[in-house]
Amino acid sequence: MSDVRKLMQLLKDGISAFHVCRAAEERLRAEGFSEIVLSEPWKLVPGGKYMVRVFDSTLFAFTVSGEGKTGQAPELRMASAHTDWPCLKIKPNPEFPGGPYARLNTEVYGGPVYSTWMDRPLGISGRVFIRGRDAFHPEERLFDSGEPVLIIPNLAIHMNREVNKGVELNPQTDLIPIAGMVPSAEAGGAGRDGADAPEAGAAKGRWFVRYLAEMLDAAEEDILDFELWVYNPEEPEIIGLYGDLLSSPRLDNLTSVEACLEGIAASGDHASRDGGLRINAVALYDNEEIGSRTKQGALSEVTSRILEKICLSLGLGREEYFDMLSSGFMISMDVAHAVHPGHPEKCDPVNRIPMGAGVALKLSSSQSYATDARAVSIIEGLLKKNGIAYAKFSNRSDMRGGSTLGALSSAKLGMLTADVGAPILAMHSARELMCVRDQEALNSLAGAYFTD
């Protein structure tokens, strides 16, 4: 159960991709990892543990073990996951003009299940930039509203009698959260804790920016820009008659982030099988939910830069670097679709997986999952050797399934890759569901992968 307790803490702390990376850094620092900067020279040594922050929402961590041999490439084992999830993002100039309600203009990030965000107290998280010592050095502040401050109300059934037959929600009109009431100019008014609430005609001012300034103890005119998301502040809960289920926001994909952190922390000083250099690494990428095509995503050049820089710092050349990639292995960790008890017909008639079955090995002929027979055989052998429960998963042949960053990274790096994950229900909902045994199995796989 300790595995799940650590996951629950990460789920509480990881309320934005920036917060996930901050929590991961704190965990790794406690395990003896030192932070190095991508734009500075590196002096790596065997036995070292390192972490590299990439644009604040992506994090790499790696260990170096064994001894280098002239002309011999290091053995590379990687695991990857993503730090983001589907939600709503607050737009620039977010205050809606007119009306009695203070509303924030938002846009959809990724592919959330819209209806699950309705009638639910919501928080705000992300980062805000404040004017710094010069234009090229603004000050960055992580932001958390700390309590629910938003809500997106449903339309009453009396005004939509067909609602229980299904209703299409429009992102621009139906997914706009309310932040409070706009009092009349004559009445004035105060918000929570005595702070001034947005005045009438709020669009003429910047009531949301004033709120940020008060929360951050900064001057309103010094706030430059922000990247802020709407998040579900409900805490994870262990539920079920036997305490074997975990209900929580952000299981996709903090379950995998947790397994990566546990694995790399346990990796220790394991040299390659012939005593040469061994690189164990985890990559926690942002922006998987929107295609990974960003400077901090899995399709960027940052992974190859970091891996090549590791080789160069250890006195190796480009040939050893390319050889390391060609002989390396990656596990792409992301959640899998558990068979739904009310809709088993949505899954393949044979290759379906329930919650509680252990690690899902994900396969697709379209290579939306990167796994091929060689890669899955390696992972399957590792699972069998360590007595870890698992099952193989494929989507129905007449339904388009999801995808992961595994196929993208595999193509970018030219590296053998396997897609695995924990099976969950309600994927992309504001609150998802998993079996605690599956997290234990995923963590066990990560540990075995880095220490075998």
Side-chain angles (χ1 to χ4, degrees):
M1 189 64 78
S2 62
D3 291 344
V4 176
R5 296 297 179 187
K6 287 184 179 180
L7 170 62
M8 292 174 70
Q9 189 60 54
L10 181 62
L11 291 164
K12 292 177 186 178
D13 295 338
I15 54 174
S16 76
F18 306 112
H19 287 82
V20 172
C21 286
R22 178 68 60 87
E25 287 173 23
E26 291 175 357
R27 283 264 296 272
L28 292 170
R29 195 171 286 112
E31 294 288 345
F33 284 74
S34 301
E35 184 175 358
I36 53 178
V37 180
L38 187 56
S39 60
E40 296 178 358
W42 291 357
K43 295 180 180 180
L44 309 181
V45 295
K49 300 178 179 180
Y50 307 96
M51 56 184 174
V52 187
R53 190 189 311 167
V54 181
F55 298 110
D56 302 313
S57 59
T58 288
L59 183 71
F60 283 75
F62 61 93
T63 62
V64 181
S65 54
E67 297 182 0
K69 298 181 180 180
T70 304
Q72 180 178 315
E75 180 184 1
L76 173 64
R77 293 192 191 176
M78 285 188 66
S80 61
H82 63 88
T83 60
D84 62 328
W85 54 86
C87 58
L88 301 174
K89 185 178 182 182
I90 298 174
K91 290 183 177 180
N93 303 311
E95 303 93 342
F96 265 89
Y101 307 114
R103 298 192 299 157
L104 286 176
N105 197 8
T106 60
E107 59 185 323
V108 173
Y109 178 89
V113 180
Y114 294 171
S115 61
T116 63
W117 290 83
M118 311 295 287
D119 303 322
R120 189 186 295 269
L122 302 168
I124 301 171
S125 65
R127 64 177 178 175
V128 179
F129 283 92
I130 299 171
R131 185 157 39 189
R133 67 179 186 269
D134 59 59
F136 282 90
H137 296 89
E139 179 187 352
E140 178 184 355
R141 303 262 193 99
L142 284 189
F143 182 84
D144 175 17
S145 61
E147 57 189 349
V149 292
L150 306 175
I151 197 164
I152 307 172
N154 253 307
L155 187 64
I157 193 171
H158 312 81
M159 300 176 182
N160 183 7
R161 295 288 183 179
E162 303 298 309
V163 65
N164 288 327
K165 295 181 180 179
V167 60
E168 182 178 355
L169 297 174
N170 183 293
Q172 188 60 74
T173 57
D174 297 318
L175 297 182
I176 302 301
I178 293 175
M181 301 298 299
V182 176
S184 66
E186 295 78 18
R192 191 176 299 189
D193 299 325
D196 290 338
E199 71 275 6
K204 296 179 181 178
R206 298 200 304 168
W207 55 262
F208 183 64
V209 174
R210 284 201 294 279
Y211 161 74
L212 294 178
E214 291 170 2
M215 290 289 289
L216 295 170
D217 193 24
E220 180 184 342
E221 60 271 18
D222 287 342
I223 292 182
L224 301 171
D225 204 359
F226 52 78
E227 289 175 277
L228 295 172
W229 283 263
V230 178
Y231 78 96
N232 180 3
E234 295 172 338
E235 293 199 351
E237 297 283 352
I238 293 178
I239 62 171
L241 294 178
Y242 313 107
D244 54 356
L245 301 177
L246 175 62
S247 170
S248 178
R250 302 179 287 281
L251 292 180
D252 178 7
N253 188 33
L254 297 195
T255 58
S256 302
V257 171
E258 173 64 28
C260 285
L261 292 174
E262 283 291 290
I264 197 67
S267 63
D269 190 15
H270 288 79
S272 66
R273 294 188 183 279
D274 61 2
L277 279 173
R278 165 102 162 251
I279 309 297
N280 285 337
V282 295
L284 309 178
Y285 295 105
D286 194 7
N287 301 138
E288 189 275 343
E289 296 292 356
I290 56 171
S292 298
R293 293 172 175 83
T294 63
K295 64 186 181 302
Q296 60 271 3
L299 267 180
S300 74
E301 293 294 330
V302 70
T303 306
S304 55
R305 288 181 186 176
I306 288 174
L307 293 177
E308 184 171 6
K309 194 163 183 174
I310 290 172
C311 287
L312 293 173
S313 179
L314 293 171
L316 304 172
R318 289 208 20 114
E319 185 170 3
E320 287 90 352
Y321 161 65
F322 289 130
D323 292 345
M324 179 183 73
L325 294 183
S326 298
S327 61
F329 196 98
M330 177 186 290
I331 294 182
S332 167
M333 291 188 170
D334 204 344
V335 291
H337 291 288
V339 61
H340 194 287
H343 294 280
E345 76 282 357
K346 296 295 185 179
C347 288
D348 183 82
V350 178
N351 297 296
R352 59 180 60 176
I353 180 170
M355 293 191 304
V359 177
L361 304 182
K362 302 158 68 174
L363 300 101
S364 172
S365 64
S366 70
Q367 286 293 286
S368 54
Y369 308 133
T371 317
D372 61 16
R374 179 181 297 277
V376 78
S377 295
I378 291 171
I379 298 303
E380 193 168 5
L382 197 58
L383 291 163
K384 285 180 178 292
K385 176 181 177 181
N386 291 275
I388 303 169
Y390 73 94
K392 294 180 181 178
F393 170 85
S394 291
N395 289 295
R396 277 183 63 101
S397 299
D398 57 358
M399 290 183 66
R400 178 175 170 267
S403 61
T404 71
L405 57 82
L408 305 178
S409 294
S410 178
K412 187 78 175 177
L413 298 173
M415 187 187 300
L416 198 63
T417 302
D419 262 299
V420 307
I424 71 169
L425 289 173
M427 190 185 298
H428 286 200
S429 289
R431 195 174 183 100
E432 299 161 322
L433 184 68
M434 74 177 299
C435 178
V436 297
R437 294 195 302 272
D438 297 329
Q439 185 64 42
E440 294 163 358
L442 196 65
N443 285 8
S444 295
L445 170 60
Y449 174 67
F450 283 125
T451 59
D452 187 87

